[in-house]
Amino acid sequence: MPHILITGANGQLGQALASCFSSAKQLTCWTRPRYDITDPAIADAVAETKPDVVVNAAAWTDVDGAEKSPQFAFNVNALGPKYLAEGCARCGGSLVQISSNEVFAGEPGRFYHEYDQTSPGSVYSRSKAAGEVAAATALDRLFIVRVAWLYSAGSNNFPAKISAAADRHGSLRVVSDEFGNPTYAPDVAVAVAKLIETQRYGIYHLVNDGSASRYDWATELLRLTGRGALQVDPISAREWPRPTTPPPHAVLVNQAGAALGITLRDWRDALRDYVQTELNK
């Protein structure tokens, strides 16, 4: 297995990637503050380390916060990938740039394939789209991997927050007109490992199969955790005001990965595994 360098190794996906690549002959994990991808010198650090593959799991993921701090969001999500790609170009490595379903407008009823035209709206989504372009401009040996509604162990994700809110309030109001692909980070990590082996660079949508609304996702989680009798009221996104408006139907289709035999299981099966392995610890 090649020398893998993971940036953002302490995040949800970064930890899943580190676990997945734990048997690699050489695995390097970078975290802030020692390794800050917004520093142009990170390109020098990559070139000196000489990894075969950099997997960039570092990102500004605070979608609402990006509206207040656009400069910081673009520093992390656009300039960071640029510097990493430049470092890879200098040492002959390749880059896996993790991107987002939110680069699409999310038109109701629309399902997005890898080569559909992006149309980002929010600061966060524009910064992620800019990161794709910046990396592609600097490097040919590039995988762009878009994910959606990512979750794993920890408390900073939708399932964990829903579980905590259910215990705290006894009833919930959940948006029912925003749709996406609930995607389990360990499944993405395995798919990324398979993708790297192909050396077929390009754009990929690596998400768990199927789609759901936030309401669907929440009610399935509550059912799996024995809270199925809890009252959950569906509401519209307009009834849950936020600093930014997420795309209402940014549902991704895995076509390019599937053509290579790389598919992820149904989101319900992944959620069941999450409940059994994470919430029951």
Side-chain angles (χ1 to χ4, degrees), residues 128-246:
K128 293 300 288 184
E132 293 185 7
V133 173
T137 301
L139 184 67
D140 293 328
R141 297 179 300 277
L142 174 68
F143 301 98
I144 293 174
V145 173
R146 295 180 183 136
V147 298
W149 291 11
L150 199 68
Y151 69 98
S152 187
S155 59
N156 191 28
N157 56 58
F158 183 79
K161 291 177 180 178
I162 286 293
S163 296
D167 292 339
R168 187 166 58 249
H169 301 298
S171 64
L172 297 173
R173 300 165 68 243
V174 183
V175 171
S176 62
D177 57 356
E178 181 191 347
F179 294 81
N181 313 82
T183 300
Y184 191 34
D187 288 1
V188 176
V190 171
V192 165
K194 293 177 180 177
L195 183 60
I196 289 170
E197 292 179 357
T198 70
Q199 296 186 345
R200 292 182 177 271
Y201 306 112
I203 302 173
Y204 295 87
H205 290 173
L206 299 184
V207 292
N208 281 115
D209 193 40
S211 61
S213 69
R214 293 279 183 183
Y215 175 83
D216 296 332
W217 192 9
T219 54
E220 179 66 6
L221 172 71
L222 295 173
R223 185 187 69 81
L224 291 171
T225 57
R227 302 180 179 93
L230 185 144
Q231 180 179 343
V232 184
D233 296 324
I235 62 172
S236 70
R238 292 190 303 273
E239 298 176 78
W240 193 269
R242 296 176 55 181
T244 186
T245 302

Side-chain angles (χ1 to χ4, degrees), residues 76-158:
V76 179
N77 293 342
L79 289 180
K82 174 182 183 295
Y83 300 145
L84 293 174
E86 290 172 349
C88 288
R90 287 166 52 188
C91 68
S94 60
L95 173 65
V96 181
Q97 170 59 24
I98 305 298
S99 191
S100 168
N101 66 319
E102 294 205 22
V103 299
F104 295 111
E107 299 172 14
R110 181 84 179 272
F111 294 83
Y112 292 91
H113 296 73
E114 289 85 351
Y115 301 106
D116 282 332
Q117 182 64 46
T118 60
S119 183
S122 68
V123 169
Y124 167 77
S125 59
R126 293 199 302 273
S127 72
K128 293 300 288 184
E132 293 185 7
V133 173
T137 301
L139 184 67
D140 293 328
R141 297 179 300 277
L142 174 68
F143 301 98
I144 293 174
V145 173
R146 295 180 183 136
V147 298
W149 291 11
L150 199 68
Y151 69 98
S152 187
S155 59
N156 191 28
N157 56 58
F158 183 79

